[in-house]
Amino acid sequence: MSIRLGDIAPNFTAKTTEGTIDFHEWLGESWGMLFSHPADFTPVCTTELGKTALLKGEFEAKGVKVIAVSVDDLDSHNKWVPDIEEINGVTMNFPIIADEDRKVATLYDMIHPNASEKATVRSVFIIGPDKKVKLTLTYPASTGRNFHELLRVIDSLQLTANYSVATPADWQDGDKVIVVPAISTEDAIKKFPKGIDEVRPYLRYTPQPNK
Ligand code: BEZ
């Protein structure tokens, strides 16, 4: 069954390169990013895991725990990790789930049979501290993800979770934001003391409230 925004992220127990975890316990009060990889010892995945290890500090600074999954076993993951480290000049610093029985891949609908019967697609699930799914992304095996975009999206998800704003196209942290349509311009003027720029009655900008 597919997972939709607002659903509780399904819980599971799994072996990982950092020991056995209960997913919800592992998340604790943090945000989380669960992302799938078609298979171990594949070129795009090797670059993606290396990039994530490089950016781990940036995810952590936003309170986001990252965890990868692929449908290979722990022995295979442990043999692959030195390659990821050497090729990308990093130390692996987050867990990779060993999902050889495809439990997690099935639970999260990460196998799209018309793309591949065996391997997962590149799925991303960003999960809030309430364990609800805040964002899903699906890329094909042949296209590596942009991890700076994932960090950007997390900025937007965290901002819009706390303020009655939305973020416009190509928004970056620090740019002006949009007042949500549910708030009248009269109320917006009181709520956002940095000011309102009313381009249209339905398009009102305000400086980012938490900056
Ligand atoms: C990869 O992960 O590198 C990959 C997997 C399947 C097709 C192409 C690339």
Side-chain angles (χ1 to χ4, degrees):
M1 203 182 80
S2 65
I3 294 172
R4 295 178 176 172
L5 301 189
D7 291 355
I8 295 287
N11 195 23
F12 55 83
T13 54
K15 283 180 282 174
T16 83
T17 49
E18 296 187 1
T20 299
I21 61 157
D22 171 285
F23 185 51
H24 282 190
E25 268 177 33
W26 177 83
L27 283 167
E29 303 289 303
S30 298
W31 288 70
M33 184 174 88
L34 170 68
F35 60 121
S36 61
H37 293 272
D40 292 359
F41 297 100
T42 49
V44 176
C45 300
T46 302
T47 64
E48 287 195 321
L49 291 181
K51 178 59 81 167
T52 308
L54 273 173
L55 295 174
K56 163 99 180 302
E58 293 194 38
F59 284 101
E60 229 164 41
K62 297 177 194 305
V64 181
K65 296 177 89 171
V66 294
I67 188 163
V69 55
S70 99
V71 290
D72 288 303
D73 64 22
L74 203 51
D75 190 40
S76 166
H77 287 357
N78 285 330
K79 287 184 179 137
W80 185 31
V81 163
D83 268 8
I84 298 168
E85 293 184 329
E86 188 185 333
I87 290 165
N88 296 285
V90 295
T91 301
M92 276 300 281
N93 48 17
F94 61 91
I96 309 172
I97 295 166
D99 193 35
E100 69 268 31
D101 59 1
R102 303 186 191 183
K103 185 170 76 180
V104 177
T106 304
L107 209 49
Y108 280 79
D109 197 28
M110 290 165 167
I111 294 177
H112 296 195
N114 291 326
S116 165
E117 291 279 351
K118 288 188 188 154
T120 62
V121 291
R122 296 185 194 283
S123 300
V124 181
F125 294 86
I126 297 180
I127 298 156
D130 57 2
K131 310 284 184 294
K132 289 186 178 168
V133 174
K134 306 298 180 187
L135 177 129
T136 64
L137 274 177
T138 307
Y139 277 44
S142 51
T143 304
R145 288 156 285 200
N146 182 327
F147 288 80
H148 292 285
E149 166 61 4
L150 294 173
L151 287 164
R152 187 196 75 85
V153 155
I154 288 164
D155 283 337
S156 173
L157 293 173
Q158 295 184 337
L159 175 72
T160 59
N162 290 316
Y163 296 90
S164 302
V165 297
T167 57
D170 296 339
W171 175 86
Q172 297 285 344
D173 190 38
D175 289 353
K176 64 188 178 180
V177 298
I178 290 171
V179 177
V180 294
I183 295 185
S184 69
T185 298
E186 192 188 354
D187 287 345
I189 289 165
K190 292 184 214 138
K191 212 174 167 77
F192 299 105
K194 291 179 187 168
I196 300 294
D197 172 18
E198 190 180 69
V199 177
R200 289 286 186 280
Y202 59 84
L203 174 57
R204 291 87 38 92
Y205 287 104
T206 189
Q208 189 171 326
N210 63 347
K211 287 282 170 183

